[in-house]
Amino acid sequence: MVSVDDKSFREEILEGEEPSLVEFYSPSCLPCRRMEPVMEELFEENEDIRVAKINIYEGAETASEYGVMASPAFLFFKEGREVGRLVGAMERRDLERAIEEVLL
């Protein structure tokens, strides 16, 4: 999984060629920790999309720019713009469904 911060977000996500799923997380967030294995599995199983995460403290400017008010927040990017968003811990199938509907 790709880890990004305020400095690398533009290059890795907005200017990247493939669609992206980005989790905005906090290291102390229990629901975020619960989603960690799900995000790792999605990263390993999806070659057509970029799966990334950004720590909301190290990426505070980016989180603010996109109005992220809670973690975990899952933002979907395509061609340099946000095309979808889900907030809170969820089942893997819900993230997979969103990937299919929004990114592919």
Side-chain angles (χ1 to χ4, degrees):
M1 181 167 3
V2 178
S3 290
V4 295
D5 57 20
D6 284 335
K7 294 178 183 175
S8 62
F9 186 82
R10 175 167 299 287
E11 180 181 341
E12 292 288 337
I13 305 302
L14 301 181
E15 296 173 356
E17 291 186 22
E18 62 272 304
S20 300
L21 165 59
V22 182
E23 178 188 12
F24 286 74
Y25 77 99
S26 164
S28 62
C29 164
L30 292 177
C32 299
R33 287 193 211 155
R34 200 175 104 216
M35 294 304 298
E36 219 171 291
V38 171
M39 292 296 289
E40 283 294 336
E41 290 171 3
L42 291 173
F43 169 73
E44 292 172 9
E45 297 171 8
N46 288 280
E47 296 177 6
D48 297 335
I49 66 167
R50 178 170 297 229
V51 178
K53 63 182 182 176
I54 183 168
N55 180 320
I56 59 172
Y57 302 114
E58 296 171 3
E61 287 179 27
T62 303
S64 177
E65 179 180 343
Y66 286 95
V68 173
M69 304 299 266
S71 62
F74 303 91
L75 279 63
F76 300 87
F77 293 88
K78 200 172 195 179
E79 298 176 358
R81 63 184 183 87
E82 182 184 346
V83 294
R85 171 185 302 227
L86 295 171
V87 178
M90 65 196 67
E91 297 292 325
R92 176 189 167 135
R93 68 179 174 265
D94 296 326
L95 267 178
E96 288 175 326
R97 187 176 311 120
I99 289 169
E100 299 255 339
E101 292 174 2
V102 177
L103 295 181
L104 301 177

